[in-house]
Amino acid sequence: MKYFLFTFVFLVSIWALLSYSNIINSLLLPHPHQVFLYIYQGFFTTQIFYKPLLQTITSTLLSFLVGSFLGVLLGIIGGYYKKLYRVLELPLDFFRSLPSLLLIPLSVLFFGIGPLASFSVISFSVFVYVFINSAYGIKYNKASFSEIGKLYKIDKIREFWLILLPSILPNIFAGIKMGFSIAFIVTIGSEMLIGHSGLGGRIIDSYMIFNTKEVFSIIIIVGMFGYFGNKILNVLEKKFIHWKGY
Amino acid sequence: MNSSILKISNLKKDFGKGEIIFNEFDLTLQKKNTAIFGPNGCGKTTLLRIISGLDQSYTGNITFKDSPIKDNVGFGYAFQNPYKFLFPWMTSFENIIFPLKIKSTDREISQRLVTKLLTDFNLDIPLNSYPYQLSTGQCQLLVFLRSIIDSPDLLLLDEPFSNLDYLNRTRILFNLAARKNLPVTIFVSHTIDEAIIFADELIILGDKPAKIIGRVLIPFNRSKRNPELLSSLKFNEVKSSCIKLLKQYII
Ligand SMILES: Nc1ncnc2c1ncn2[C@@H]1O[C@H](COP(=O)(O)OP(=O)(O)OP(=O)(O)O)[C@@H](O)[C@H]1O
Ligand SMILES: [Mg+2]
């Protein structure tokens, strides 16, 4: 926390130095107090940020949840049924290597300009990561853990709940964390590309009219959301997968 | 009658790398407590894994109490590498009672069994800690306690106390040897003293491939063994007869 505060103050000081001394034109680099005021007003007086922020959050979380859920579910099934995994391996590796935003035009052709077009692309990209991680977890599961079960002639259902699932939780969570970052990136990206909704759309609009104060405000808001989203996931991971790295 | 407790005949085993671990290996155990002693890599762990059914890629015949060793035998197994065989997401307590959980044993009964075991062996283990919070010796104790908590038919102990301090280890061994209703036990040991403290018979193995170099009957009444045994003349006689068998291999 001490370091955090220090770095924060340090960065804002550099910004202030560059901006108040006019080393960089304030049209390009607005003054810090202007930006902070703009953010404050954007939430409490003009309220221009509420709607786009809500849109971005909803879109990110919804596709994140749907993609993660399907990813875990099918990942586990895929880990169990090696054949299914082998069939899916090539297309999944292909899509993982593909920057997801590239799929947006195709998705718009299929689903029309609207929330469904971006939702399908975002949740699909989340799905790919979570699926691969979960399936890997089962595929390369530590043999010694299953052997304990085998020694006591454990049944399939108990084996899954007591041994297999906990042993792949670290993998699942690694996928979910990646999935969140992906969901966020692709959400903002697709907002910038289509629909002009959410904070991604808003930043394009403000940049068009050269409203740099708003551009900076949005960068800060979006950054904070991503930062705290990741922080929360890290805290959850520490709590629920306390044995990670063991 | 010449009935055997455990009978292994014509065992063949290799790991597909050219090295043969067991070749036409026969072993018949007639005593309740057997200790197995042999050099690193001679196949002791492999043998226990084969007996327990964890390794099934072998040929040969194994019978337990004259019927094929199969699904109806309940095993306890204290693995040689405790860390690999404890669930890190379970507390000490959960790990110990795992075999009971599989049998849907009432939690209160499990609790009582654990408490009894800990008092029997005079042990103090933090039951609510996770394996990664314990010392190596404590982890090894967890694996050991788990192996006997559900009173198995056949208990396999693979160097179960190698990480314990001398006093703890000796105390537990005497305790275990004299324990009432101790299951049939195969105890792999790297020290002759421990084998003598615990077993009715000591089997000394050689390697490449595994073979029986010698068998020594231990002439002490198990229920009456106590630490005074260690300084007795008789103990040292048995020990030197074991060492005599090993002599040619020591040079
Ligand atoms: N999974 C495996 N793959 C290949 N070779 C193996 C495997 N496990 C064991 N071996 C080989 O089998 C032989 C016997 O191994 P084992 O673990 O049974 O020895 P051990 O008698 O238990 O030795 P130690 O006293 O060191 O525990 C060794 O030479 C080892 O290299
Ligand atoms: Mg071994």
Side-chain angles (χ1 to χ4, degrees):
Chain A
M1 196 62 206
K2 222 167 77 190
Y3 290 100
F4 178 87
L5 218 67
F6 174 79
T7 316
F8 180 76
V9 170
F10 180 72
L11 289 175
V12 173
S13 320
I14 292 187
W15 175 14
L17 191 77
L18 292 174
S19 148
Y20 290 122
S21 63
N22 267 328
I23 294 176
I24 298 179
N25 188 327
S26 69
L27 222 55
L28 287 178
L29 185 70
H31 300 322
H33 76 270
Q34 289 176 316
V35 172
F36 291 129
L37 192 68
Y38 200 90
I39 295 177
Y40 176 82
Q41 287 168 339
F43 280 110
F44 297 106
T45 53
T46 60
Q47 306 203 339
I48 48 170
F49 288 141
Y50 268 131
K51 203 171 146 228
L53 179 64
L54 208 66
Q55 282 171 336
T56 300
I57 290 179
T58 316
S59 166
T60 304
L61 291 188
L62 200 65
S63 35
F64 166 66
L65 290 177
V66 171
S68 297
F69 178 75
L70 291 177
V72 170
L73 199 70
L74 293 179
I76 288 172
I77 297 174
Y80 261 113
Y81 299 101
K82 307 271 146 47
K83 277 194 189 120
L84 177 70
Y85 185 80
R86 277 198 209 112
V87 171
L88 291 178
E89 195 168 10
L90 178 72
L92 282 173
D93 271 339
F94 176 78
F95 282 114
R96 187 171 55 155
S97 321
L98 197 72
S100 326
L101 285 173
L102 211 60
L103 296 174
I104 292 274
L106 194 67
S107 182
V108 170
L109 286 178
F110 271 85
F111 301 115
I113 286 227
L116 193 59
S118 37
F119 170 76
S120 51
V121 172
I122 305 162
S123 41
F124 178 71
S125 359
V126 174
F127 166 80
V128 171
Y129 275 87
V130 178
F131 176 92
I132 288 177
N133 271 280
S134 311
Y136 262 54
I138 298 223
K139 211 169 153 218
Y140 299 105
N141 190 37
K142 212 164 153 185
S144 57
F145 289 158
S146 328
E147 285 188 344
I148 305 169
K150 205 171 143 198
L151 187 74
Y152 295 111
K153 302 171 181 81
I154 197 169
D155 55 277
K156 284 277 169 227
I157 295 174
R158 278 215 179 89
E159 183 186 21
F160 176 76
W161 289 109
L162 295 179
I163 300 179
L164 215 54
L165 187 63
S167 74
I168 62 163
L169 275 184
N171 299 75
I172 291 182
F173 219 90
I176 283 181
K177 268 167 56 174
M178 238 187 277
F180 176 74
S181 297
I182 298 282
F184 195 39
I185 293 170
V186 182
T187 296
I188 295 285
S190 72
E191 284 172 350
M192 292 168 82
L193 277 172
I194 52 169
H196 283 217
S197 62
L199 289 170
R202 184 87 199 182
I203 203 170
I204 293 284
D205 293 342
S206 44
Y207 135 88
M208 295 278 208
I209 56 168
F210 225 80
N211 184 350
T212 44
K213 270 186 294 192
E214 191 164 307
V215 169
F216 269 81
S217 304
I218 291 174
I219 290 176
I220 291 175
I221 295 169
V222 168
M224 300 257 277
F225 175 62
Y227 179 85
F228 285 111
N230 281 316
K231 266 273 173 321
I232 290 172
L233 286 176
N234 280 337
V235 169
L236 288 179
E237 184 180 33
K238 265 229 175 72
K239 183 158 163 53
F240 290 111
I241 309 171
H242 53 87
W243 67 91
K244 193 189 157 196
Y246 158 88
Chain B
M1 207 185 113
N2 213 352
S3 89
S4 64
I5 286 184
L6 187 87
K7 189 177 166 119
I8 298 170
S9 41
N10 205 10
L11 177 66
K12 289 192 182 115
K13 166 78 185 171
D14 63 73
F15 286 100
K17 288 182 184 165
E19 187 190 20
I20 292 163
I21 316 295
F22 293 102
N23 193 19
E24 295 175 15
F25 178 83
D26 298 307
L27 174 65
T28 306
L29 304 184
Q30 258 138 357
K31 300 286 176 207
K32 213 171 154 215
N33 286 1
T34 308
I36 295 183
F37 179 93
N40 288 131
C42 75
K44 303 179 296 296
T45 300
T46 307
L47 186 65
L48 293 193
R49 289 177 55 82
I50 287 173
I51 294 171
S52 66
L54 290 183
D55 190 335
Q56 297 188 336
S57 60
Y58 64 92
T59 64
N61 247 320
I62 305 177
T63 56
F64 181 69
K65 293 184 175 163
D66 296 324
S67 48
I69 199 162
K70 270 194 328 226
D71 296 341
N72 48 355
V73 178
F75 292 101
Y77 193 157
F79 300 92
Q80 190 175 13
N81 179 346
Y83 241 46
K84 237 172 93 180
F85 289 93
L86 285 171
F87 299 120
W89 55 86
M90 293 184 191
T91 61
S92 306
F93 179 73
E94 301 286 343
N95 267 294
I96 296 174
I97 66 160
F98 185 74
L100 299 173
K101 196 162 184 172
I102 302 299
K103 293 179 187 157
S104 308
T105 310
D106 195 75
R107 215 180 155 78
E108 230 168 90
I109 297 174
S110 306
Q111 178 83 58
R112 241 178 287 142
L113 284 170
V114 172
T115 317
K116 178 155 185 341
L117 265 190
L118 291 178
T119 16
D120 281 359
F121 288 99
N122 194 9
L123 292 171
D124 184 22
I125 296 177
L127 287 177
N128 291 320
S129 299
Y130 293 94
Y132 56 84
Q133 297 168 323
L134 301 181
S135 75
T136 316
Q138 288 172 322
C139 283
Q140 200 166 29
L141 283 173
L142 290 189
V143 175
F144 166 67
L145 292 173
R146 181 180 65 194
S147 74
I148 55 169
I149 188 95
D150 65 332
S151 316
D153 305 313
L154 178 54
L155 178 61
L156 307 169
L157 304 174
D158 197 350
E159 271 288 298
F161 309 122
S162 56
N163 288 302
L164 302 191
D165 65 82
Y166 178 76
L167 288 178
N168 231 350
R169 173 197 319 212
T170 315
R171 190 172 46 82
I172 293 178
L173 266 175
F174 274 112
N175 215 322
L176 191 65
R179 192 173 168 77
K180 273 185 235 121
N181 55 49
L182 179 75
V184 173
T185 305
I186 302 176
F187 171 56
V188 169
S189 170
H190 282 149
T191 40
I192 292 184
D193 292 42
E194 286 178 23
I196 298 175
I197 293 175
F198 176 74
D200 303 317
E201 183 177 21
L202 168 61
I203 292 176
I204 301 175
L205 292 184
D207 58 356
K208 297 190 173 83
K211 52 187 155 295
I212 297 168
I213 291 176
R215 307 179 69 134
V216 180
L217 286 172
I218 318 256
F220 308 123
N221 183 342
R222 234 187 324 108
S223 57
K224 291 193 188 118
R225 294 182 198 194
N226 60 53
E228 270 157 45
L229 185 70
L230 286 175
S231 48
S232 70
L233 216 61
K234 197 91 174 86
F235 183 89
N236 281 299
E237 274 168 25
V238 175
K239 188 172 171 181
S240 45
S241 68
C242 296
I243 292 177
K244 249 183 223 134
L245 285 167
L246 288 169
K247 228 174 195 163
Q248 50 170 316
Y249 299 93
I250 293 178
I251 338 149

Coordinates of all heavy atoms in Angstrom, one line a residue, chain A residues 196-222:
Chain A
H196 N -20.7 1.9 -30.9 CA -20.3 3.1 -30.2 C -21.0 3.2 -28.8 O -21.4 4.3 -28.4 CB -20.5 4.4 -31.0 CG -19.4 4.5 -32.0 ND1 -18.9 5.7 -32.4 CD2 -18.7 3.6 -32.7 CE1 -17.9 5.5 -33.3 NE2 -17.9 4.3 -33.5
S197 N -21.1 2.1 -28.2 CA -21.7 2.1 -26.8 C -20.6 2.0 -25.8 O -19.4 1.8 -26.2 CB -22.7 1.0 -26.7 OG -22.1 -0.2 -26.9
G198 N -20.9 2.0 -24.6 CA -20.0 1.8 -23.5 C -18.8 2.8 -23.5 O -18.9 3.8 -24.2
L199 N -17.9 2.5 -22.6 CA -16.8 3.5 -22.5 C -15.9 3.4 -23.8 O -15.3 4.4 -24.1 CB -15.9 3.1 -21.3 CG -16.7 3.4 -19.9 CD1 -15.9 2.9 -18.8 CD2 -16.8 5.0 -19.8
G200 N -15.8 2.3 -24.4 CA -15.0 2.2 -25.7 C -15.6 3.1 -26.7 O -14.9 3.8 -27.5
G201 N -16.9 3.1 -26.8 CA -17.6 3.9 -27.8 C -17.4 5.4 -27.4 O -17.2 6.2 -28.3
R202 N -17.6 5.6 -26.1 CA -17.5 7.0 -25.6 C -16.2 7.6 -25.9 O -16.1 8.8 -26.3 CB -17.8 7.0 -24.1 CG -17.9 8.3 -23.5 CD -19.3 8.9 -23.5 NE -19.2 10.3 -23.3 CZ -20.2 11.1 -23.2 NH1 -21.5 10.6 -23.4 NH2 -20.1 12.4 -23.0
I203 N -15.1 6.8 -25.8 CA -13.8 7.4 -26.0 C -13.6 7.8 -27.5 O -12.9 8.8 -27.8 CB -12.7 6.4 -25.5 CG1 -11.4 7.2 -25.1 CG2 -12.4 5.4 -26.5 CD1 -10.3 6.4 -24.4
I204 N -14.2 7.0 -28.3 CA -14.1 7.3 -29.8 C -14.8 8.7 -30.0 O -14.3 9.6 -30.7 CB -14.7 6.2 -30.6 CG1 -13.9 4.9 -30.5 CG2 -14.8 6.7 -32.1 CD1 -12.6 4.9 -31.3
D205 N -16.0 8.8 -29.4 CA -16.8 10.0 -29.6 C -16.0 11.2 -29.1 O -15.9 12.3 -29.7 CB -18.1 9.9 -28.9 CG -19.0 8.9 -29.5 OD1 -18.7 8.5 -30.7 OD2 -20.0 8.4 -28.8
S206 N -15.4 11.1 -27.9 CA -14.7 12.3 -27.3 C -13.4 12.6 -28.1 O -13.1 13.8 -28.2 CB -14.4 12.0 -25.9 OG -14.0 10.8 -25.6
Y207 N -12.8 11.6 -28.6 CA -11.6 11.8 -29.4 C -11.9 12.5 -30.7 O -11.2 13.4 -31.2 CB -10.9 10.5 -29.6 CG -10.3 10.2 -31.0 CD1 -9.0 10.6 -31.3 CD2 -11.1 9.4 -31.9 CE1 -8.5 10.3 -32.6 CE2 -10.6 9.1 -33.1 CZ -9.3 9.6 -33.5 OH -8.8 9.3 -34.7
M208 N -13.1 12.2 -31.3 CA -13.5 12.8 -32.5 C -13.7 14.3 -32.4 O -13.4 15.1 -33.3 CB -14.9 12.3 -33.0 CG -14.8 10.8 -33.4 SD -14.2 10.5 -35.0 CE -15.0 9.0 -35.4
I209 N -14.2 14.8 -31.2 CA -14.4 16.2 -31.0 C -13.2 16.8 -30.2 O -13.4 17.9 -29.6 CB -15.7 16.5 -30.3 CG1 -15.8 15.7 -29.0 CG2 -16.9 16.1 -31.2 CD1 -17.0 16.2 -28.1
F210 N -12.1 16.0 -30.1 CA -10.9 16.5 -29.4 C -11.1 16.9 -28.0 O -10.5 17.8 -27.5 CB -10.4 17.7 -30.2 CG -8.9 17.6 -30.4 CD1 -8.4 16.8 -31.4 CD2 -8.0 18.2 -29.5 CE1 -7.0 16.6 -31.5 CE2 -6.6 18.0 -29.7 CZ -6.1 17.2 -30.7
N211 N -12.0 16.1 -27.3 CA -12.2 16.4 -25.9 C -11.2 15.5 -25.1 O -11.5 14.4 -24.6 CB -13.6 16.0 -25.5 CG -14.0 16.3 -24.1 OD1 -13.1 16.6 -23.3 ND2 -15.2 16.2 -23.7
T212 N -10.0 16.0 -25.0 CA -8.9 15.2 -24.4 C -9.2 15.0 -22.9 O -8.8 13.9 -22.3 CB -7.5 15.8 -24.5 OG1 -7.6 17.2 -24.2 CG2 -7.0 15.6 -25.9
K213 N -9.8 15.9 -22.2 CA -10.2 15.7 -20.8 C -11.0 14.4 -20.7 O -10.8 13.6 -19.8 CB -11.0 16.9 -20.3 CG -10.1 18.0 -19.7 CD -10.9 19.1 -19.1 CE -11.8 19.8 -20.1 NZ -12.4 21.0 -19.6
E214 N -11.9 14.2 -21.6 CA -12.8 13.1 -21.5 C -12.0 11.8 -21.9 O -12.2 10.7 -21.2 CB -14.0 13.2 -22.4 CG -15.0 12.1 -22.1 CD -16.4 12.5 -22.7 OE1 -16.9 13.6 -22.4 OE2 -16.9 11.6 -23.4
V215 N -11.1 11.9 -22.9 CA -10.3 10.8 -23.2 C -9.5 10.3 -22.0 O -9.5 9.1 -21.7 CB -9.4 11.2 -24.4 CG1 -8.3 10.1 -24.6 CG2 -10.2 11.4 -25.7
F216 N -8.9 11.3 -21.4 CA -8.1 10.9 -20.2 C -8.9 10.3 -19.1 O -8.6 9.3 -18.4 CB -7.3 12.1 -19.7 CG -5.9 12.2 -20.3 CD1 -5.8 12.8 -21.5 CD2 -4.8 11.8 -19.6 CE1 -4.5 12.9 -22.1 CE2 -3.6 11.9 -20.2 CZ -3.4 12.4 -21.4
S217 N -10.1 10.9 -18.9 CA -11.0 10.4 -17.8 C -11.3 9.0 -18.1 O -11.3 8.1 -17.2 CB -12.3 11.3 -17.8 OG -11.9 12.6 -17.6
I218 N -11.7 8.7 -19.3 CA -12.1 7.3 -19.7 C -11.0 6.3 -19.5 O -11.2 5.2 -18.9 CB -12.7 7.3 -21.1 CG1 -14.0 8.1 -21.1 CG2 -12.9 5.8 -21.5 CD1 -14.6 8.2 -22.5
I219 N -9.8 6.8 -19.9 CA -8.6 5.9 -19.7 C -8.5 5.5 -18.2 O -8.3 4.4 -17.8 CB -7.3 6.5 -20.2 CG1 -7.4 6.6 -21.7 CG2 -6.1 5.7 -19.8 CD1 -6.2 7.3 -22.4
I220 N -8.6 6.5 -17.4 CA -8.5 6.3 -15.9 C -9.6 5.4 -15.4 O -9.3 4.4 -14.7 CB -8.4 7.6 -15.2 CG1 -7.1 8.4 -15.5 CG2 -8.5 7.4 -13.6 CD1 -7.0 9.8 -14.9
I221 N -10.8 5.7 -15.8 CA -11.9 4.9 -15.3 C -11.8 3.4 -15.7 O -11.9 2.5 -14.9 CB -13.3 5.4 -15.8 CG1 -13.5 6.8 -15.2 CG2 -14.4 4.5 -15.4 CD1 -14.7 7.6 -15.9
V222 N -11.5 3.2 -17.0 CA -11.4 1.9 -17.6 C -10.2 1.2 -16.9 O -10.3 0.0 -16.5 CB -11.1 1.9 -19.1 CG1 -10.7 0.5 -19.6 CG2 -12.4 2.3 -19.8

